[in-house]
Amino acid sequence: MTGAYAGFVNSAVGTKLAAQLGLPRPVRLRRYAADAPLVEGPVLVAGLADAPVAEHVRTLLSDEGVEVVDAVPAGSRLGAVVLDLTTVTEPGDLDLVRVVLAPAVKALRASGRVVVVGADPASATSVAQAASRRALEGITRSVGKELRFGATANLVLVAEGAEANTDAAVRFLLSGRSAYVDAQVVRVGPGTPAEPADWALPLAGKVAVVTGAARGIGASIADVLARDGAHVVCVDIPAAGESLARTANRVGGTALQVDVTAADAGQRILDATGRHGGLDVVVHNAGITRDKLLANMDESRWDSVLDVNLGSILRMNEVLLGENGIRDGGHVVLVSSIAGIAGNRGQTNYAASKAGVIGLVDALSVDADLVRRGISVNAVAPGFIETEMTAKVPFATREVGRLLNSLSQGGLPVDVAETIAWFSQDANAGVTGNVVRVCGQSLLGA
Amino acid sequence: MAASAKPRRAAVIGGNRIPFARANSTYAKASNQDMLTASLEGLVARFGLAGEPVGEVTAGAVLKHSRDFNLTRESVLGSSLAPTTPAYDVQQACGTGLEATVLVANKIALGQVESGIAGGTDTASDAPIAVNEGLRETLLALNRAKTPGQRLKAVARLRPGQVVPEIPRNVEPRTGLSMGEHMAQTAAHWGVTREAQDELAVQSHRNLAAAYDRGFFDDLLTPYLGLTRDQNLRADSSVDKLAKLKPVFGRGDGATMTAANSTPLTDGASVVLLGSDEWAAERGLPVLAHLVDAQTAAVDYVTGHEGLLMAPAYALPHLLERQGMKLQDFDLVEIHEAFAATVLCTLAAWESESFCRDRLGLDAPIGALDRTRLNVNGSSLAAGHPFAATGGRIVASLAKSLEERGSGARGLISICAAGGQGVMAILEAA
């Protein structure tokens, strides 16, 4: 957690003043640590009717040695609440949310979690059911705004028959890996998730490619993928080779100096993965900004941003997703941006490319060939992330960007990387076509 | 060794270097160890060797501080290679990098190691400066002194002139002549013209610039301290521009050697990854080429019998005879451009019937070289020449060029060195 405001409200005087004035008080978020439990404290698991997902959640929590409770235990604080509402059929069913969550939220620890599980409104069999299912989104997003001290609320929407595919999503949302993911809707569909031999190494034996890996978010992605067990081929432009080598050596991976906009970039990346026996994960992270108001936007700013952030991905995918490319059951992860959802002044070119990425995810995730091959395609959309790039934003704009979200702070590159690593898990194969914002429930584009 | 047990050939897997910088510029504060470590780090990253040991690392520097007695091992310890990787230093003036490659390759060929890294580094900026010889003797005498009287006697030998330090000079100790002056004598002997030298220099810059433009160095080079290309490279170099420069070596009207057709003092480092075919295959690493043969030679330049930098001319016939080859059989030839005149004198010598007969003992001249096969991706006149780093630069670049030409393509490397020495090697595309 950084920033002038965060420093002030966490000082002796600042803490008192912030409490009196009701100012937002950012706390240090619970993040992944090798020796930390999945959740700290007991988890309340509840559900409506036969609550088919709740049973899976209870099992996975027991496997992790986490205490499962049916009600708020006296004198104890909860680590998380999981509420299975997949069986809601009419608005009257929603009252259970109030009944369960009201006392639970009060008893929630710092960096606690609320995970609501519902069914996809699109597959509802009645209007009342569709309305009730959709209501869960409004509830979750509002709870996200009410929670304090780094706690988050997220919604998992399960497709018909995919109840058993929710483990990886629930684990992620309960864990410190999802620290900056707040008020998001994760859709879990069919697919054939494969549980890892060791949940501590969910990417063991996998070969991943990360573009733009020399520094910033890309370097963090390489770190987290390698931590989770993958061999990472780190790609960046030749001019960034010195930082790229540092990343690659730190993660025990390989450095490949290639400009993603080169005509043969896809083939060169594929060749580089050949020596590791194949390609399982592609993370298209490379991106640039060349900001200018549209009225003053020149051709080179426009073209370079569109080509690096979008055109190059389309070209590389021809090879990387081809028959000799990524293995069946592999994962493609793209990096969109909150600017691609909400738009941003001075970023028509950037927003075009990042919105384009979402369109690309939409199309590829239903591509018949990729679906047949079991390849998932998802994107993250980072909000305000503390990087070298955001450090250059003017002071006032930067502080506002940090504070305009439910967690009252900027995210870290590792937060984006954690979400990408989760999209890269075979255990998460039921999740495709998702765009998950890593934004702490930013008010922008919400 | 039994005649049947033919040694295997060492594979050149790839290489890495940092861009070469002009002396007292971007790398002015980088030490030999810094640069060699940076080159190793880029190589380790390129081939995914972090945390792994290799059989050995062999490298060296020509201008070396006394503190760098274990330069290569210290660089290994500062790199991401496993700390269990042994290392040793070699030094053969400008032949250091190529000699190191031959040493590692020979150990691989004999099965003494399965893999190794050869290289070299040199800084003309962060040069070792020693205390004046008189001061050194006085200080050593003071160190040996046991009684106050002896100490006083030693201190009494201090003289004001002794504060002048010893700065390394590019001079042959036995002749007192700089390498450039030696070369100027040889150039005059062979009648090498100013125009021919300038043309060669321009071609070197053009070839290097073209290689950069086509991305040839993308997997041969890792940027360092903000430098992404060789600092000496002048893509817009032309014979007209070079013609305006005043000669810096030689005397009078016959002086032909300028700052542009001589290599500048340079800082940089390079390394080459070698291994057995099996070692490479186990790791899925590419084999670009194999080291086929190597030969060193030395000439008597002290008496003036031969030019200081002409030793490679003498090494070649041995290689050709052993390999049953002609010079013209090589697909590519790399002759280190210490000076443009070095290359031109060497080529002229090979074309000379009398030189080949009287000096090399051959029945017929070695003959002319198709110049389109010479230094096709530029050489030291454009890239610069950090002495010990040149060998590694050439080995890796040539191996890649041969691989591009296809299996079986052969290339020759020729590097002249101070002390009247020369190192040559033959690579063959895998």
Side-chain angles (χ1 to χ4, degrees), chain A residues 201 217 232 236 317 372:
Chain A
L201 291 171
I217 291 174
V232 185
D236 215 311
N317 280 352
R372 180 182 57 77

Side-chain angles (χ1 to χ4, degrees), chain A residues 238 242 249 253-255 257 268 275, chain B residues 41 45 47 218 221 223 225 284:
Chain A
E242 192 177 3
N249 289 340
T254 317
Q257 299 183 156
R268 283 165 70 185
R275 63 169 285 223
Chain B
E41 282 299 84
F47 295 103
D218 283 359
L221 185 142
L225 300 182

Side-chain angles (χ1 to χ4, degrees), chain B residues 314-353:
Chain B
Y314 290 76
L316 182 63
H318 298 285
L319 281 177
L320 295 181
E321 194 189 345
R322 273 209 298 275
Q323 294 300 321
M325 290 180 73
K326 302 193 298 290
L327 174 63
Q328 294 73 19
D329 293 336
F330 288 101
D331 299 271
L332 295 171
V333 174
E334 287 282 336
I335 303 179
H336 158 52
E337 298 164 344
F339 303 89
T342 319
V343 179
L344 296 169
C345 289
T346 304
L347 293 177
W350 287 337
E351 288 179 36
S352 159
E353 197 174 343

Side-chain angles (χ1 to χ4, degrees), chain B residues 87-110:
Chain B
Y88 66 97
D89 285 19
V90 292
Q91 204 174 44
Q92 196 182 31
C94 305
T96 302
L98 184 55
E99 189 66 62
T101 305
V102 173
L103 290 170
V104 172
N106 285 351
K107 281 203 183 184
I108 291 168
L110 291 174

Side-chain angles (χ1 to χ4, degrees), chain A residues 231 238-242 244-246 248-250 252-259 268 274-276, chain B residues 41-42 44-50 80 215 217-219 221-226 228 283-285:
Chain A
H231 178 93
E242 192 177 3
L244 184 69
R246 220 173 284 133
N249 289 340
R250 186 176 63 237
T254 317
L256 178 65
Q257 299 183 156
V258 59
D259 186 336
R268 283 165 70 185
R275 63 169 285 223
H276 305 290
Chain B
E41 282 299 84
V44 168
R46 183 160 300 139
F47 295 103
L49 299 174
S80 299
F217 291 108
D218 283 359
D219 59 358
L221 185 142
T222 304
Y224 183 55
L225 300 182
T228 57
R283 281 157 187 76
L285 292 171

Side-chain angles (χ1 to χ4, degrees), chain B residues 339-421:
Chain B
F339 303 89
T342 319
V343 179
L344 296 169
C345 289
T346 304
L347 293 177
W350 287 337
E351 288 179 36
S352 159
E353 197 174 343
S354 60
F355 179 88
C356 290
R357 182 186 62 232
D358 300 341
R359 297 284 171 104
L360 304 183
L362 301 174
D363 298 333
I366 286 170
L369 174 71
D370 174 0
R371 293 280 286 273
T372 61
R373 302 180 185 185
L374 177 69
N375 299 349
V376 292
N377 293 305
S379 186
S380 302
L381 285 171
H385 170 44
F387 312 123
T390 290
R393 170 184 70 76
I394 295 177
V395 170
S397 297
L398 178 63
K400 182 175 174 179
S401 297
L402 290 171
E403 197 258 348
E404 286 176 344
R405 271 165 181 74
S407 182
R410 281 198 172 195
L412 175 72
I413 302 172
S414 167
I415 297 181
C416 58
Q421 306 203 82

